[in-house]
Amino acid sequence: KKNIAAVIWKRLDEGIALGIDATTRYELDDWDRPLYSADFEGDSGYNTRKNRGLPPTAIANFSTDSFEAALFPIANKYYYYLHDRQGKIHFGETLTEHNENKQKWLP
């Protein structure tokens, strides 16, 4: 969680769209099916691929350890992360590395 928090803070600080799929899933209220390009075309504030900054509201109740991770992230060199089908997190420094992770871990 602290590594993910660091990615989010880094992207916020540098003005990079967060690109967090969970915000789109929250808006769609669909946590199971794969997401498609069309799911990210809307102009909603929850579309963190298009909009910079945080979504308009929280998308879930956070745990104490998530809150602590946001307050005390671990410095890292990553700008990207994804969860594979088993929930394991894979980090990438560059978009190229992130796309390679998607090909490898999200067939």
Side-chain angles (χ1 to χ4, degrees), residues 9-21:
W9 277 115
K10 189 179 306 173
R11 293 176 74 93
L12 285 169
D13 289 345
E14 295 184 25
I16 302 169
L18 296 177
I20 299 173
D21 290 356

Side-chain angles (χ1 to χ4, degrees), residues 17-31:
L18 296 177
I20 299 173
D21 290 356
T23 60
T24 297
R25 289 190 177 283
Y26 174 80
E27 179 182 27
L28 297 173
D29 193 25
D30 190 337
W31 298 91

Side-chain angles (χ1 to χ4, degrees), residues 48-66:
T48 57
R49 287 193 183 188
K50 277 190 170 181
N51 301 303
R52 289 182 177 17
L54 296 171
T57 66
I59 63 167
N61 291 327
F62 55 85
S63 63
T64 302
D65 58 329
S66 294

Side-chain angles (χ1 to χ4, degrees), residues 1 3 8 12-13 18 20 23 36 38 40-41 46 48 51 55 57 60 62 72 84-85 90 92 94 98 102-103 106:
K1 290 183 178 182
N3 277 310
I8 293 169
L12 285 169
D13 289 345
L18 296 177
I20 299 173
T23 60
Y36 300 100
F40 302 104
E41 291 176 3
Y46 292 96
T48 57
N51 301 303
T57 66
F62 55 85
F72 306 107
D84 65 22
R85 303 271 187 244
H90 303 274
T94 65
H98 181 62
K102 287 197 294 191
Q103 291 296 314
L106 302 175

Side-chain angles (χ1 to χ4, degrees), residues 2-7 10 73-79 91-93:
K2 290 184 176 194
N3 277 310
I4 291 174
V7 170
K10 189 179 306 173
I74 293 174
N76 63 45
K77 54 192 171 187
Y78 306 121
Y79 280 84
F91 293 92
E93 293 180 45

